[in-house]
Amino acid sequence: MREQRGNIHMATAQKSITLNGVAVGDLLSTVEAVKTTPSIAKFKFRIKNQWEDGSRNHSTVTTLCGANQELTHPAPFRIEADEPGILLGKDLAPNPVEHLLHALASCITTSMVYHASARGIQINAIESSFEGDLDLHGFLDLDPTVRKGYQAIRVNFKISADVPDDRLEEIVKLGTGHSPVFDSLTNGVPISVTAERL
Amino acid sequence: MREQRGNIHMATAQKSITLNGVAVGDLLSTVEAVKTTPSIAKFKFRIKNQWEDGSRNHSTVTTLCGANQELTHPAPFRIEADEPGILLGKDLAPNPVEHLLHALASCITTSMVYHASARGIQINAIESSFEGDLDLHGFLDLDPTVRKGYQAIRVNFKISADVPDDRLEEIVKLGTGHSPVFDSLTNGVPISVTAERL
């Protein structure tokens, strides 16, 4: 950890530049601000979801809490979910397990870009593909030995950057090693659930 | 497990009806088809992601594999990701950890609706709220004892259904107990990653 921290600080000379679309100076200032006021590092992310009909529901993303402030997105974001016809939906939107792959892909990518930028690594392009295996014997209660969730997820990253071949994997590890969704999904998260009458 | 299976079969009399927007007959036929041909239960879900700039990237959802077939969504779905200004983005789309909450919410909701429908339970409305705690000391490598991912997620479901109060929690458990994303996120998933040059 100390070495990675060191790398972030080595980029201090580049405080005023934007690299890979990331305001590196602001990123380094954030690191310094968190060291001075640790409580600003605590964030709460939120969504509300509403069922529509059958396999269709949508989430609304309006507020978050971070840096000791209540924050509001400029306009609420709306994210839809449905199921393909073979899973009894109308196929009007990605399904929940496809959304999960997007959460994972977007998080690894952004984590990679932020941490590469902090280390002065220029990236030209990133493309990735994600595939997850799911066996409906779990969801349908047909076999208690088959889990309901993904059995495995395979990820491939293709990266264009001005680095030797052997550093490509290192760049990808900046993503997987820092991504909140990668950590959440590989190590699990405690989820508490309450229910009440509407 | 046997009892839940039994419950699904007790609904056989309702084969031709649609309940809560779910074609219950098709759901029961799926159960029977999987029993006859177990291999049709195996699905592969996929996305491709492309980095745009800084905190912005998007995923495209085009194909899946299920019931021994390659399937294509009617049109590719596109899902955007960004970060709020306080996390150095332009706030043009939900961020990855907000997408993760949507994946979780949509999956529990759909799982609840499908399994309640199979048991003949009519649901009038479902609303839910999700909140997750994240401490940037992890992402920023400032404290190795703080995880990168969500420390905890809290979920509240509000349900309108013609059932006694004490059965509300049972309905919610049909969701959490069957949801592939809930299982993936609480129990973890093995993720393998490869990297190559673009």
Side-chain angles (χ1 to χ4, degrees), chain B residues 6-117:
Chain B
N7 286 345
I8 284 187
H9 286 270
M10 280 166 60
T12 306
Q14 303 168 324
K15 263 206 168 182
S16 61
I17 70 152
T18 292
L19 184 60
N20 306 317
V22 177
V24 177
D26 292 346
L27 181 53
L28 300 171
S29 301
T30 301
V31 171
E32 294 307 316
V34 169
K35 283 186 192 167
T36 309
T37 315
S39 66
I40 64 168
K42 289 186 185 297
F43 277 68
K44 288 183 199 298
F45 296 97
R46 303 164 181 146
I47 61 133
K48 287 185 184 296
N49 185 276
Q50 184 155 359
W51 175 54
E52 297 171 24
D53 193 36
S55 55
R56 293 175 59 199
N57 63 71
H58 66 268
S59 294
T60 312
V61 192
T62 310
T63 65
L64 62 150
C65 177
N68 296 327
Q69 305 164 61
E70 278 293 318
L71 301 162
T72 305
H73 290 295
F77 300 120
R78 183 183 164 111
I79 325 175
E80 308 278 346
D82 196 358
E83 291 290 345
I86 197 166
L87 295 172
L88 312 184
K90 293 195 166 68
D91 215 355
L92 296 171
N95 83 349
V97 293
E98 290 167 335
H99 278 294
L100 182 63
L101 296 182
H102 167 64
L104 180 62
S106 58
C107 196
I108 297 175
T109 300
T110 299
S111 301
M112 192 185 311
V113 170
Y114 277 33
H115 278 273
S117 301

Side-chain angles (χ1 to χ4, degrees), chain B residues 152-193:
Chain B
I153 295 173
R154 292 169 296 284
V155 178
N156 176 255
F157 270 94
K158 292 189 169 67
I159 294 177
S160 167
D162 296 327
V163 297
D165 276 1
D166 60 2
R167 289 201 65 195
L168 288 180
E169 205 165 322
E170 192 184 322
I171 294 176
V172 171
K173 281 189 180 148
L174 287 177
T176 55
H178 291 98
S179 159
V181 175
F182 185 88
D183 174 36
S184 298
L185 197 47
T186 50
N187 295 316
V189 177
I191 304 177
S192 60
V193 184

